[in-house]
Amino acid sequence: MAVDGEQQQAHRAGIYKQKNKQHKHGKHRTKGEIERENKGRVAVMALTKKQRKEQRKMDRRHKANQLRRNKKDQVLTEKRKLGSRDGPPHLVAVVALHAEADARAVMKLLQGEDVGGLVHKKAGVETAGDSFGLVLPRFKQRFMFIRPDTADLHALLDVAKVADSLVFVLDSALGWDTYGEYCLSTLFPQGLPSHVLVCTGVAALPVKKRVEARRSLARIIAARFPDARIFPLDSGPDAALLLRHLAMQRQRRLGFRSRRAHLLAQRVTYTPGAAGLGTLHVSGYVRGRPLKVDRIVHIVGHGDFQLRQVDAPPDPLPLLSTSRPPKPGKGEDVEMLDEVTQAEDSAAVRVLMKADPSCRESLQAEAEVDPMDGEQTWPTDSELLEAEEARKNRRVMKVPKGTSEYQATWILDDGEESEDAEESSGSEDDEMMEDENDEMEDKDGSDSKERHYDEHVNEEQEQEELQRYRQARADDAFPDEVDTPLDTPARSRFQRYRGLKSFRSSPWDPLENLPPDYARIFQFQSFERTRQRVLAEAAQEEDGAMVGWYVTLHIEEVPASVMESFQGGRPLVLVSLLPHEQKMSVMHMLVKRHPSNTLPIKSKEQLVFQCGFRRFRASALFSQHTSADKHKMERFLRPNAPTVMSVYAPISFPTAGVLVFKERDNGMQDLVATGHLLASAPDRVVLKRIVLSGHPFKINRRSAVVRYMFFNREDILWFKPVEMRTKWGRRGHIKEALGTHGHMKCVFDKQLPSQDTVLMNLYKRVFPKWTYDPYVPQPLPWVQQEVPADLAEADME
């Protein structure tokens, strides 16, 4: 309260007084003007954020339900079409997994009268030993059964690629044998379709032992087929139950075949043409996707070809409308519809479509190489002067009269001739010593049994395998370590290598120093985006020969060997390729070494690949599977570790299973690795690492004198900028060279232990070899290969 007579002091604002913004008198409309102009209309942005969020949430929920419903309807439609009037027959392959399992008896039971079906012998594969068609009017289903030759691994794998179901015939006591296990090892990574396990011979066992036999067999198959049901097949009712299960079971979808049109050839004719080529006429049911006449077709094991025409002959396996087949006559156990077959053969063939030359895809697999596209650099003045001085200082050599300068460069002088003579004499002496050693070894072999055993042993192969074992063991113990040569300067021997500050973060240009083979391949700007676009377009195609149609394909410029292969009893499988799948590129496959393989597999060794529908031979480059932009090369295929194999091969869009085989000298093929297709990426950088090692000679705190890494002063100065490391984790660099014998003074971040080893990492980029061969010979019947005891116990130090 103020005191009377005293004047009140005015308030002074402090530093914390609030300062409001001034009103901006700009040219803008007021809220009233905006409302009068809109006349009650509400803009879209007037919706609240909550309303917009709820609306987007409901839209996403409805869209997800719609996609789920469409996908479910599509799966149900495909399941109902399989084996029906509108779809292809249910293709079933019967495979025996044991030498004692009788697959022929299974095929005979499926044709019995107790099944209640109509058998069409001519509806199967023409040249197959055991194949037939079966119509079940009661189930409104039609089947086509085929029994591939399990001794031919290629035939078994080709049939499994297109089969809807596999029936594995097991032995009642042992299940499957060694070869059956080998077949399963190849079928699982390739992509196993729906399958059924069948056991024969159970009815012959005593009643008290049947339950125990089934339990022991269930324990055997639990490793491969957990929770699988075993169907006994010893009578007609058992066969009827098996057919009902095949018709109702859930189909497994394999991505590599469901996205491409494919068919199994049932009837094949050949019209010879000029230059050993002709036209192949292949008849079969279209499966997977609709088949277009302008697309390229791939015949598995034979190559890529173009279509000329697609015909529609009559269906050899029609689904009759009668609900019950007629009863067989006396002495007949199988119904043969001869009248229907004759009517089908007399029907006219319709032409569905013909190829348009302007729209047909090309068979060009490699890009056109222009030799003038390379960089041309003009020599500098200094280089011209050096060349002129070298020409003046060139030694004059006497040559015969009339010899040109180009021919004179190929004439050797006396010194070179003497060196060649010494080398030739040395090689002759070595050969004489080897011959004498061979004679001594022959004399020592006095025992007749040992001589008989040695007749079947290839000494060169034994020595080669022993050398490969030693290299693999040395690479495991000392990875990437190499010895510096004594007779060659290290700067010349390792001139293509370079050092990296960090393998993870140091840059490496992927377009630097590319090989000439890269001019022959194709590359995508974005492989994943192209893959999604191509597969999306293939899923929306509705024109062409639809799935389930029985068609005849006219294939142009096919060699006669394809017809000979089909007449020899091997299955013929065709697949329609997606766009760009005939072009060559660098393909990468992620594989893992198979446990059954014990022999070392070296990088860039020729192997046999089965990638999806393709089968070819190539030399693969091994590298580590990492997420970085640079990948270290592996010299050998590592066990229990994923490895990326890079090869020159035609483009294929994932997904697809990969099988890798190694061919023996006798023609057999052993499974060495399995995996899946990764991508096509020519710009994937694979670096080969070498490690130069040195020994610390004198240690003085952080500095040390290192020797045995280099053997002259110039090499030390050349590699001086490269960082070094030790096995104990120290890092350092070269400070200076000491003397002329390769000693150098190095400085490290910490003091070195006396037992430490100094290392220097050098890198260079490597590429695969162009050894692609689409023609793989038929393998001989497989026999398990065992590692010799002397190799397994060899000293690898």
Side-chain angles (χ1 to χ4, degrees):
M1 185 174 180
V3 183
D4 295 341
E6 294 182 359
Q7 188 177 359
Q8 186 176 1
Q9 297 291 332
H11 175 73
R12 295 182 179 180
I15 59 175
Y16 297 107
K17 179 183 178 182
Q18 180 179 349
K19 297 180 180 179
N20 298 327
K21 292 182 179 180
Q22 296 181 356
H23 179 67
K24 296 181 180 179
H25 302 278
K27 295 181 179 180
H28 64 276
R29 299 177 299 172
T30 62
K31 293 182 179 180
E33 293 177 353
I34 294 174
E35 290 178 358
R36 285 193 297 270
E37 290 178 2
N38 290 334
K39 297 180 180 180
R41 293 174 297 185
V42 180
V44 179
M45 299 301 295
L47 295 174
T48 61
K49 184 178 180 181
K50 183 178 180 180
Q51 290 175 336
R52 292 198 302 271
K53 185 177 181 180
E54 290 179 356
Q55 187 177 7
R56 288 199 299 268
K57 184 177 180 181
M58 293 301 296
D59 290 343
R60 290 196 302 268
R61 183 176 299 175
H62 289 319
K63 186 177 181 180
N65 292 336
Q66 188 178 13
L67 292 175
R68 190 182 303 112
R69 193 181 305 109
N70 293 341
K71 191 172 183 179
K72 184 178 180 181
D73 294 342
Q74 182 181 0
V75 172
L76 290 176
T77 303
E78 291 179 358
K79 181 180 179 181
R80 291 165 182 165
K81 276 188 175 182
L82 182 62
S84 65
R85 187 190 306 273
D86 300 330
H90 195 132
L91 181 58
V92 182
V94 181
V95 181
L97 295 181
H98 197 277
E100 301 297 330
D102 193 358
R104 290 186 177 88
V106 174
M107 298 286 284
K108 188 175 182 181
L109 282 173
L110 293 173
Q111 302 177 58
E113 60 178 356
D114 295 335
V115 173
L118 306 177
V119 178
H120 295 249
K121 282 290 187 181
K122 293 186 178 180
V125 180
E126 248 181 358
T127 59
D130 205 352
S131 178
F132 63 91
L134 180 65
V135 177
L136 296 177
R138 181 177 56 179
F139 298 146
K140 295 182 180 180
Q141 290 282 323
R142 51 180 181 169
F143 296 87
M144 191 172 71
F145 290 89
I146 183 173
R147 183 180 59 83
D149 185 11
T150 54
D152 189 354
L153 185 61
H154 287 180
L156 176 60
L157 294 176
D158 292 346
V159 171
K161 290 172 184 176
V162 295
D164 299 313
S165 299
L166 296 178
V167 176
F168 293 121
V169 185
L170 309 178
D171 183 70
S172 58
L174 302 176
W176 52 72
D177 53 9
T178 306
Y179 184 68
E181 175 68 24
Y182 179 71
C183 293
L184 292 176
S185 300
T186 58
L187 290 173
F188 270 91
Q190 176 183 267
L192 191 66
S194 302
H195 52 274
V196 180
L197 303 181
V198 168
C199 179
T200 59
V202 179
L205 298 176
V207 179
K208 296 182 179 180
K209 294 184 178 181
R210 292 179 185 177
V211 177
E212 183 61 28
R214 290 184 180 179
R215 289 179 180 175
S216 61
L217 187 59
R219 287 192 294 268
I220 292 174
I221 68 173
R224 284 286 188 182
F225 304 97
D227 303 329
R229 178 184 176 185
I230 303 176
F231 287 83
L233 193 61
D234 295 306
S235 61
D238 294 341
L241 183 62
L242 175 63
L243 289 174
R244 184 180 183 89
H245 179 75
L246 288 172
M248 301 302 295
Q249 74 172 350
R250 179 176 175 269
Q251 293 295 316
R252 300 184 64 179
R253 185 175 182 271
L254 302 180
F256 75 96
R257 72 179 186 184
S258 62
R259 297 188 177 101
R260 300 168 178 87
H262 58 276
L263 60 86
L264 175 65
Q266 296 180 223
R267 296 175 183 172
V268 179
T269 58
Y270 185 75
T271 304
L277 304 177
T279 302
L280 193 71
H281 308 274
V282 181
S283 300
Y285 291 95
V286 179
R287 302 174 184 273
R289 299 296 306 167
L291 188 143
K292 300 184 67 174
V293 70
D294 295 330
R295 293 282 174 82
I296 294 176
V297 294
H298 173 74
I299 302 179
V300 177
H302 298 282
D304 302 339
F305 305 95
Q306 288 180 329
L307 291 176
R308 185 183 63 192
Q309 182 178 320
V310 178
D311 298 340
D315 194 341
L317 191 63
L319 185 61
L320 301 181
S321 59
T322 56
S323 60
R324 183 175 298 177
K327 294 182 180 180
K330 187 176 181 180
E332 295 178 358
D333 56 346
V334 175
E335 283 292 335
M336 304 299 297
L337 302 182
D338 296 334
E339 296 82 1
V340 177
T341 305
Q342 292 176 3
E344 291 170 357
D345 294 339
S346 61
V349 177
R350 296 185 297 113
V351 177
L352 288 180
M353 59 193 79
K354 291 186 177 181
D356 185 3
S358 61
C359 301
R360 189 163 59 173
E361 292 188 5
S362 173
L363 287 174
Q364 181 183 1
E366 301 179 12
E368 296 181 358
V369 180
D370 188 358
M372 302 302 294
D373 285 345
E375 294 184 1
Q376 301 292 328
T377 57
W378 190 259
T380 60
D381 296 338
S382 59
E383 292 175 346
L384 291 175
L385 292 175
E386 291 176 0
E388 185 65 21
E389 292 178 358
R391 189 183 66 83
K392 292 179 180 179
N393 298 331
R394 186 174 56 185
R395 183 173 53 85
V396 179
M397 184 173 53
K398 295 182 179 180
V399 296
K401 186 177 180 180
T403 305
S404 63
E405 293 184 2
Y406 176 77
Q407 294 173 343
T409 57
W410 293 92
I411 298 177
L412 304 178
D413 57 357
D414 297 337
E416 293 176 346
E417 290 179 355
S418 61
E419 291 177 0
D420 294 341
E422 291 176 1
E423 291 177 0
S424 61
S425 62
S427 61
E428 291 176 358
D429 295 338
D430 294 339
E431 292 178 358
M432 294 176 60
M433 292 294 295
E434 291 176 0
D435 295 337
E436 292 176 1
N437 294 334
D438 294 338
E439 293 176 1
M440 294 295 295
E441 291 175 359
D442 293 336
K443 292 180 181 179
D444 294 339
S446 58
D447 193 357
S448 60
K449 293 184 179 179
E450 293 183 359
R451 286 200 305 268
H452 179 70
Y453 178 79
D454 291 339
E455 290 178 357
H456 303 283
V457 176
N458 190 346
E459 296 184 1
E460 295 182 358
Q461 184 178 1
E462 292 285 328
Q463 293 295 330
E464 182 180 354
E465 291 181 356
L466 178 60
Q467 186 69 16
R468 191 175 298 173
Y469 264 99
R470 287 178 174 173
Q471 292 177 0
R473 292 289 298 271
D475 188 62
D476 289 337
F478 307 98
D480 303 325
E481 288 195 22
V482 297
D483 295 330
T484 306
L486 297 175
D487 54 348
T488 305
R491 62 186 181 278
S492 300
R493 172 63 180 84
F494 307 121
Q495 62 181 348
R496 296 183 59 188
Y497 291 84
R498 69 180 70 172
L500 292 178
K501 178 71 175 178
S502 172
F503 184 82
R504 180 186 60 84
S505 59
S506 296
W508 194 294
D509 187 7
L511 303 179
E512 178 185 2
N513 294 333
L514 297 178
D517 290 334
Y518 264 51
R520 304 163 58 184
I521 64 174
F522 293 87
Q523 181 181 4
F524 299 104
Q525 188 174 4
S526 175
F527 178 77
E528 184 61 26
R529 192 185 305 121
T530 305
R531 170 184 171 271
Q532 295 177 359
R533 178 180 57 81
V534 170
L535 296 182
E537 292 176 356
Q540 296 175 1
E541 289 179 352
E542 297 295 339
D543 56 340
M546 304 306 294
V547 177
W549 289 4
Y550 185 78
V551 298
T552 299
L553 308 181
H554 299 253
I555 309 174
E556 294 181 339
E557 298 182 358
V558 181
S561 59
V562 180
M563 187 64 189
E564 295 173 358
S565 175
F566 182 76
Q567 291 176 346
R570 300 186 187 95
L572 197 64
V573 178
L574 284 77
V575 58
S576 179
L577 299 180
L578 297 174
H580 310 296
E581 285 195 329
Q582 78 279 11
K583 301 175 182 177
M584 296 291 293
S585 185
V586 180
M587 301 301 300
H588 305 287
M589 294 162 280
L590 181 61
V591 301
K592 194 174 183 180
R593 186 171 174 176
H594 196 261
S596 63
N597 174 252
T598 55
L599 297 176
I601 307 299
K602 199 172 183 180
S603 182
K604 295 187 179 181
E605 186 176 354
Q606 191 176 50
L607 302 171
V608 177
F609 293 86
Q610 290 216 28
C611 180
F613 282 99
R614 288 193 180 272
R615 181 164 54 240
F616 56 89
R617 289 187 293 184
S619 299
L621 179 67
F622 303 161
S623 60
Q624 294 180 351
H625 179 54
T626 59
S627 58
D629 59 342
K630 295 179 292 296
H631 311 272
K632 178 182 167 296
M633 190 199 82
E634 294 286 356
R635 286 177 168 83
F636 291 90
L637 186 62
R638 303 287 183 183
N640 302 323
T643 305
V644 177
M645 290 188 177
S646 305
V647 296
Y648 288 109
I651 296 171
S652 296
F653 293 107
T655 58
V658 174
L659 303 176
V660 185
F661 299 89
K662 182 182 177 182
E663 193 172 4
R664 303 185 197 173
D665 295 336
N666 56 5
M668 299 181 186
Q669 295 180 3
D670 297 319
L671 181 66
V672 297
T674 60
H676 63 274
L677 185 62
L678 200 61
S680 170
D683 55 352
R684 188 177 191 268
V685 178
V686 179
L687 300 182
K688 179 181 179 180
R689 185 185 72 173
I690 62 170
V691 179
L692 305 181
S693 59
H695 175 65
F697 178 48
K698 296 179 181 179
I699 301 175
N700 183 13
R701 296 184 181 179
R702 290 175 51 200
S703 63
V705 178
V706 180
R707 60 179 178 177
Y708 301 152
M709 181 177 289
F710 303 108
F711 299 99
N712 56 72
R713 185 182 185 88
E714 290 77 10
D715 289 342
I716 298 176
L717 299 178
W718 179 270
F719 291 100
K720 185 177 180 180
V722 182
E723 185 182 17
M724 297 190 301
R725 62 178 181 89
T726 68
K727 290 188 175 181
W728 285 55
R730 308 291 188 262
R731 290 188 175 274
H733 61 276
I734 301 174
K735 187 175 181 180
E736 59 181 347
L738 302 177
T740 60
H741 297 285
H743 291 203
M744 55 186 179
K745 185 177 182 180
C746 305
V747 179
F748 297 89
D749 54 353
K750 292 182 181 180
Q751 185 174 354
L752 297 185
S754 59
Q755 66 273 23
D756 205 348
T757 304
V758 181
L759 306 176
M760 176 181 289
N761 296 338
L762 300 176
Y763 303 90
K764 77 169 181 179
R765 187 178 179 183
V766 289
F767 301 91
K769 287 184 178 180
W770 191 293
T771 58
Y772 173 76
D773 185 8
Y775 306 105
V776 180
Q778 291 292 331
L780 295 179
W782 181 81
V783 178
Q784 187 175 8
Q785 183 178 10
E786 298 182 357
V787 180
D790 54 350
L791 289 182
E793 299 176 0
D795 186 12
M796 303 303 172
E797 295 182 359

